[in-house]
């Protein structure tokens, strides 16, 4: 018999990011800041020095040093990945083990389940309580199920809720599993466990350059943890996982702490403005939309007809993300992008049909 694609692969739903050329893109939680001419010039200068005929530095030493400085940890407590996405894949495939259990708290970032299924791990899911991780529930389940890995995003994509550092640390200390805390959105909140992670035997924190840092196109993410875990990750990763151009670009950008802080503050202001505007709109159309609180760079709207609004926005050139069936997840954009989105949304809400 000829080759058959395994059943579990055939069953998978492909990740489906929007690809159309929409003038307003608020669907992927990226930074709305382009590098800008000055920073771009520095990045290009660094990329020009790349030896394209050579393989990249397998340990991305200079990049990890810049990241460690940025995060306030030691370089040996950091490993770089081709986006944090690659690190999620590596951690699950190498650290969980075949037929072992991965515990997730859903709704959450879909990649945790996606990679668990590809690598034939049993993905055990706990429901979130009002959008938040139920720490006691996870702790109980991690023991009862003898989970190898517990993984969740904090703050959460897509619910926008966060768990306090003290509660995350309690889970880390009391669970026998490897706890992976994906802090992709922690730049927008203040409950990171980064300063404690090196002292924990069983915890990895994931960080990314794709959100506040503004380098989604370069695909650079990090895992931070105690040296033993980080050394183990270095052993299992593909040797040249982060290409030389991305290493050079991210190294330059992560050194710009003042500029990044300014941009971060602008993103926070944009998110606050967007949420305030949606709050007002929701008061005018309470039967159509409800604005949910978030601690992230995206707003969340629960809608009577989320697919209808989603399609209506696309027709008006605004791409947001349809999320959890009945919600729209909207990235904080530039002032102009937010205004175009709000205008289109208001038009749609005035119509009878949505
Ligand atoms: C955006 C995001 C990431 C970042 O992934 P990269 O591969 O680093 O771009 C990680 N986790 C969550 C929950 C995210 O939403």
């Amino acid at each position: 018999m000829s080759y058959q694609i395994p059943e579990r692969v055939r069953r998978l739903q492909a990740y489906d990011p929007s690809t159309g050329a929409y003038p307003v893109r608020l669907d992927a939680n990226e930074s709305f800041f382009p590098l800008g001419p000055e920073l771009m010039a520095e990045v290009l200068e660094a990329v020009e020095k790349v030896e394209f005929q050579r393989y990249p530095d397998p340990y991305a030493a200079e990049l990890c040093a810049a990241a460690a400085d940025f995060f306030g940890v030691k370089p040996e407590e950091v490993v770089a990945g081709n986006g944090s996405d690659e690190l999620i894949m590596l951690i699950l495939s190498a650290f969980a083990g075949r037929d072992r259990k991965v515990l997730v708290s859903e709704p959450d970032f879909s990649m945790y389940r996606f990679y668990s299924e590809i690598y034939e791990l049993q993905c055990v899911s706990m429901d979130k309580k009002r959008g938040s991780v139920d720490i006691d529930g996870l702790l109980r389940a991690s023991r009862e199920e003898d989970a190898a890995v517990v993984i969740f995003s904090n703050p959460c994509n897509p619910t926008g809720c966060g768990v306090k550092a003290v509660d995350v640390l309690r889970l880390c200390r009391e669970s026998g599993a490897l706890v992976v805390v994906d802090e992709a959105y922690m730049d927008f909140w203040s409950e990171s466990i980064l300063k404690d992670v090196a002292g924990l035997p069983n915890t990895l924190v994931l960080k990314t350059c794709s959100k506040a840092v503004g380098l989604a196109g370069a695909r650079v993410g990090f895992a931070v943890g105690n040296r033993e875990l980080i050394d183990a990750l270095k052993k299992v990763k593909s040797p040249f996982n982060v290409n030389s151009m991305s290493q050079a670009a991210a190294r330059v950008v992560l050194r710009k702490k003042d500029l990044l802080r300014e941009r971060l503050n602008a993103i926070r202001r944009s998110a606050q403005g967007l949420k305030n505007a949606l709050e007002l709109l929701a008061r005018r159309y309470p039967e159509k939309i409800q604005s949910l609180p978030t601690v992230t760079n995206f707003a969340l709207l629960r809608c009577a007809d989320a697919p209808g609004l989603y399609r209506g926005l696309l027709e008006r050139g605004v791409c947001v993300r349809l999320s959890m069936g009945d919600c729209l997840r909207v990235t904080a954009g530039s002032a102009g992008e937010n205004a175009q989105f709000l205008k289109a949304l208001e038009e749609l809400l005035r119509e009878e049909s949505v």
Side-chain angles (χ1 to χ4, degrees):
M1 209 170 71
S2 64
Y3 176 76
Q4 297 273 313
I5 293 170
E7 181 57 31
R8 69 175 197 291
V9 177
R10 272 186 279 151
R11 271 200 321 264
L12 280 174
Q13 296 269 347
Y15 188 72
D16 183 26
S18 315
T19 49
Y22 301 102
V24 179
R25 293 292 305 258
L26 302 176
D27 61 314
N29 300 338
E30 298 138 326
S31 168
F32 59 83
F33 282 104
L35 282 184
E38 279 177 37
L39 190 49
M40 180 63 96
E42 279 190 60
V43 165
L44 291 181
E45 202 183 310
V47 169
E48 227 163 23
K49 296 203 184 98
V50 166
E51 293 185 289
F52 278 80
Q53 79 283 20
R54 305 281 181 205
Y55 282 108
D57 171 5
Y59 298 120
E62 284 186 56
L63 171 60
C64 287
D69 181 52
F70 187 72
F71 299 137
V73 300
K74 298 193 187 117
E76 58 269 27
E77 294 160 0
V78 181
V79 61
N82 191 246
S84 40
D85 194 68
E86 185 201 19
L87 297 165
I88 295 167
M89 179 192 83
L90 270 175
I91 291 165
L92 294 180
S93 62
F95 287 6
R98 209 184 155 129
D99 296 323
R100 290 292 309 274
K101 287 177 183 167
V102 174
L103 184 59
V104 299
S105 167
E106 289 178 317
D108 206 344
F109 192 43
S110 59
M111 290 298 118
Y112 311 146
R113 174 174 288 279
F114 177 80
Y115 287 122
S116 300
E117 288 177 0
I118 291 180
Y119 290 105
E120 300 186 275
L121 307 166
Q122 278 188 59
C123 192
V124 179
S125 178
M126 296 271 310
D127 285 342
K128 283 204 158 77
K129 277 189 182 165
R130 273 177 264 101
S132 239
V133 178
D134 170 9
I135 292 289
D136 290 310
L138 271 190
L139 200 47
R140 206 175 321 115
S142 86
R143 290 185 187 130
E144 280 171 14
E145 303 281 351
D146 188 26
V149 178
V150 180
I151 184 167
F152 60 97
S153 56
N154 190 40
C156 172
N157 171 17
T159 69
C161 298
V163 186
K164 289 268 170 77
V166 283
D167 295 317
V168 176
L169 289 171
R170 184 160 55 85
L171 172 69
C172 300
R173 294 196 174 108
E174 294 178 21
S175 166
L178 174 67
V179 179
V180 183
V181 186
D182 181 350
E183 293 193 352
Y185 297 91
M186 194 54 88
D187 295 318
F188 310 107
W189 204 39
S190 52
E191 294 289 332
S192 177
I193 60 159
L194 212 45
K195 69 175 173 28
D196 298 294
V197 69
L200 294 165
N202 64 331
T203 305
L204 287 168
V205 169
L206 299 180
K207 291 281 174 182
T208 181
C209 291
S210 302
K211 306 285 150 68
V213 176
L215 284 176
R219 311 300 302 121
V220 176
F222 303 97
V224 184
N226 73 62
R227 195 172 176 159
E228 197 186 350
L229 284 174
I230 295 303
D231 284 347
L233 261 178
K234 285 180 181 166
K235 281 196 281 187
V236 297
K237 79 180 187 61
S238 141
F240 307 113
N241 58 330
V242 184
N243 72 70
S244 304
M245 291 83 78
S246 292
Q247 289 191 31
R251 189 168 84 215
V252 168
V253 173
L254 285 173
R255 295 281 183 205
K256 303 287 172 198
K257 287 197 236 179
D258 290 341
L259 180 70
L260 288 177
R261 195 172 315 113
E262 264 171 48
R263 290 182 176 182
L264 175 60
N265 287 334
I267 296 170
R268 285 179 160 172
R269 283 195 299 276
S270 159
Q272 197 51 57
L274 179 66
K275 289 175 215 174
N276 292 347
L278 288 173
E279 194 71 45
L280 289 177
L281 210 50
R283 271 189 229 155
R284 277 168 52 202
Y285 298 97
E287 69 293 347
K288 293 187 177 180
I289 57 166
Q290 180 192 1
S291 170
L292 303 176
T294 69
V295 296
T296 54
N297 69 330
F298 58 82
L300 202 60
L301 277 183
R302 183 172 285 141
C303 313
D305 179 11
L309 279 177
Y310 174 74
R311 283 191 303 270
L313 287 167
L314 281 186
E315 282 162 16
R316 286 161 175 76
V318 180
C319 182
V320 300
R321 191 163 170 92
L322 186 57
S323 181
M324 300 180 279
D326 64 348
C327 289
L328 295 182
R329 195 194 69 190
V330 188
T331 309
S334 65
E337 288 169 330
N338 289 354
Q340 284 186 69
F341 158 69
L342 288 164
K343 178 167 171 282
L345 180 64
E346 198 166 350
E347 274 171 28
L348 288 161
L349 292 171
R350 269 205 305 271
E351 289 175 10
E352 277 309 301
S353 58
V354 288

